[in-house]
Amino acid sequence: MARHARRRRPSRTGLAAMTLVAVAAGALASEAESRWPVNAPFVRTGAVGTVLDIEPVRVTVHGVRSATVLSDGLDELESAGTWIAVDVSAAALTEPATIAEMALRDTAGREFRQTDRSSNPMVGSAFDPLITERGEVVFEVPDDVAGEVVPVISPDAPRRAVPRAAAEVPLTVEAPSPEPLVPRGRELATEDA
């Protein structure tokens, strides 16, 4: 006949010690998270024309245009809002890398991703190291987005470690042009471009 061992209950002192350890670990984790946030990207800010290194990409924002109609040379796309094109140049720093995403943040804190209704060759395609290319990234935004906006540029690369970096460059959007906006395609940047 097998004998079963009698289960022992922890002592009151043992329970108190385990509770104290759990409370201390929770307090330590909370303090560490408040001092070293892990969810936010490292943000580099600059003015128009400033070269910003946001590992693994180097970017420069050159300006912004807006219109009520977007044209690809063949078709014209209407919008219930406004089309905004951000002129940007980029190059990878040491190995091929991409701009994974671009967003446009308005003064109300709303963010709008690059549009899927038009091609955006500056986003999602790899840049070669130290070869600067320039083009425009297009956004479709509501009519009330005007004045101050901030493009938020998020790079990505193979084996990318978190937290990520982002570039932010404040811009002023003028009233939309009645002429169709033909976005600048991706091309090699020239010194005077």
Side-chain angles (χ1 to χ4, degrees), residues 8-9 17 32 35 44 80 86 93 134 138 140 142 144 147-148 186:
R8 292 181 42 157
R9 290 184 171 175
R35 291 184 183 261
R44 305 277 190 272
V86 176
L93 293 173
R134 185 171 175 177
V138 180
E140 185 176 13
D144 63 348
E148 297 298 316
R186 181 172 166 171

Side-chain angles (χ1 to χ4, degrees), residues 78-137:
E78 300 286 334
S79 174
T82 302
W83 294 103
I84 294 178
V86 176
D87 185 2
V88 62
S89 60
L93 293 173
T94 58
E95 62 181 318
T98 65
I99 293 174
E101 182 176 81
M102 256 181 93
L104 199 62
R105 187 172 57 235
D106 70 1
T107 54
R110 299 177 297 178
E111 286 195 2
F112 306 94
R113 289 187 65 234
Q114 71 273 358
T115 185
D116 292 332
R117 292 184 62 199
S118 172
S119 67
N120 271 313
M122 293 296 289
V123 178
S125 298
F127 295 96
D128 289 323
L130 306 177
I131 298 176
T132 304
E133 296 182 71
R134 185 171 175 177
E136 286 181 313
V137 179

